[in-house]
Amino acid sequence: MTTQPLETPVTATPRPPRRKSRLNLSRVGLWVFVGIACFLSLVPFYLMFVWATLPSAQIFAVPPNLWFGNAFVENLQKMMEATNNMALRQFWNSLYISVLSTVTTLFFCSLAGFAFAMYDFRGKKYLFGFILVTMLIPPLVMDIPSFLVMNNFLQWIGTPRTLWVPGMANAFGIFLMRQYIVSALPKSLIEAARLDGASEFGIYMKVVVPLIRPILATLGVVTFVGSWNNFKGALIMRLSEDSTMTLPLSLRRITGGATNVNADWGATLMMVVLTVIPLLIIFLFASRQVISGLTSGAVKD
């Protein structure tokens, strides 16, 4: 009696679920959403540049003008007349204050953040806690004391230094730098630099600064934009002379206030363009470093 081998049943392999089409649809939907968001973000900038080249009578025309006009030189002349031919000087004042504020803030905040992150000294926790507590104080509360100090003790009222000196070492910058250095720089790297004979300041300049460029760019952009748009500070510190006025104050003088319907909007938009261009240039050059600084630590290795 012969036995036949048992035949193994043939089972059909299950087909993998079709997810490719769904992934493609989700990706297309994401790109459509991003495209619409970018378009809506760029439209105001485009209209600002377009309307700066139009006469005031055509800016509020219906339907609106969507292409460049031929009143660029006319609006530029009106802007110069409205600022008593001091628009370039006021541009330089804003640039001077913003650059000095940014450079000093980056230097002192990164230096303090490096000290809090890599050194151990008596009272370190209490001092750092005190710095964090100062972040809870509303900036509005400090306006009157700042004015009294600048006016009665330092006698700096009406000078640009009142806008960039007080913010050289701010609590937010120190906290941001300290947190980034703790997460990005191992102490073994600092110890290795010491063994190689590097001085403490040399370690900071040659080891720490190159490794914290992303967060330096992030804090630099935030500081520059905040200083460039500092209308309230310039108003309180009385930078009202043509030779010391900054662009935000000059822009307000051209418009004559929010309720002035008879303002020359062509000259106003020309001043707005002059105010916005440096911010766009700064962001375009530093955007990659800013994104790297904001996303650092978000992805785990």
Side-chain angles (χ1 to χ4, degrees):
M1 186 175 179
T2 60
T3 59
Q4 296 180 353
L6 296 176
E7 295 181 358
T8 56
V10 179
T11 57
T13 57
R15 295 181 179 179
R18 295 183 179 180
R19 296 182 180 178
K20 191 173 181 180
S21 59
R22 292 183 181 180
L23 291 176
N24 289 337
L25 289 177
S26 62
R27 181 172 296 181
V28 169
L30 179 62
W31 280 108
V32 169
F33 174 78
V34 171
I36 294 174
C38 292
F39 175 76
L40 294 177
S41 301
L42 294 175
V43 163
F45 290 98
Y46 174 76
L47 293 178
M48 175 187 67
F49 285 105
V50 168
W51 291 347
T53 63
L54 297 175
S56 297
Q58 298 181 16
I59 292 177
F60 298 101
V62 179
N65 292 279
L66 301 178
W67 193 245
F68 296 92
N70 54 3
F72 176 83
V73 177
E74 178 185 353
N75 291 336
L76 186 61
Q77 291 175 350
K78 290 181 179 179
M79 182 195 71
M80 296 299 294
E81 292 174 1
T83 58
N84 297 325
N85 295 322
M86 298 292 288
L88 295 181
R89 176 58 185 270
Q90 293 160 5
F91 178 87
W92 164 251
N93 291 337
S94 293
L95 186 64
Y96 166 77
I97 294 171
S98 300
V99 169
L100 276 181
S101 179
T102 303
V103 171
T104 54
T105 297
L106 292 181
F107 176 73
F108 288 108
C109 288
S110 61
L111 200 60
F114 170 62
F116 278 114
M118 295 297 171
Y119 292 94
D120 293 324
F121 51 89
R122 182 177 298 179
K124 170 183 173 180
K125 293 183 179 179
Y126 298 103
L127 182 58
F128 188 68
F130 175 77
I131 291 174
L132 295 182
V133 169
T134 60
M135 295 175 62
L136 303 177
I137 302 175
L140 188 63
V141 177
M142 301 302 298
D143 289 341
I144 294 178
S146 299
F147 176 81
L148 294 177
V149 170
M150 294 296 172
N151 187 41
N152 298 336
F153 294 95
L154 300 177
Q155 297 181 355
W156 285 357
I157 289 297
T159 61
R161 70 188 72 173
T162 56
L163 297 184
W164 63 268
V165 171
M168 289 194 300
N170 58 80
F172 172 75
I174 295 174
F175 170 74
L176 188 67
M177 289 294 171
R178 188 260 179 191
Q179 297 301 110
Y180 187 89
I181 292 174
V182 166
S183 62
L185 270 73
K187 285 191 176 182
S188 58
L189 186 64
I190 307 300
E191 295 295 336
R194 289 196 183 107
L195 292 176
D196 288 340
S199 63
E200 298 300 320
F201 190 74
I203 293 173
Y204 164 76
M205 292 297 298
K206 298 179 180 179
V207 177
V208 177
V209 172
L211 294 177
I212 62 172
R213 284 180 182 175
I215 202 65
L216 285 175
T218 303
L219 182 60
V221 170
V222 171
T223 304
F224 186 91
V225 173
S227 179
W228 184 268
N229 296 328
N230 190 6
F231 170 79
K232 185 185 70 172
L235 185 65
I236 293 175
M237 298 303 169
R238 297 180 181 176
L239 300 182
S240 55
E241 299 293 332
D242 288 335
S243 58
T244 59
M245 188 177 294
T246 57
L247 286 180
L249 286 181
S250 182
L251 182 60
R252 182 184 181 276
R253 186 173 68 174
I254 289 179
T255 59
T259 59
N260 185 15
V261 296
N262 297 321
D264 193 329
W265 293 106
T268 300
L269 287 170
M270 185 60 65
M271 177 65 79
V272 172
V273 169
L274 184 64
T275 305
V276 168
I277 284 178
L279 301 181
L280 294 177
I281 294 175
I282 289 292
F283 182 77
L284 287 176
F285 278 98
S287 59
R288 180 175 298 180
Q289 294 291 335
V290 169
I291 294 172
S292 177
L294 292 175
T295 57
S296 62
V299 180
K300 238 182 172 180
D301 294 335

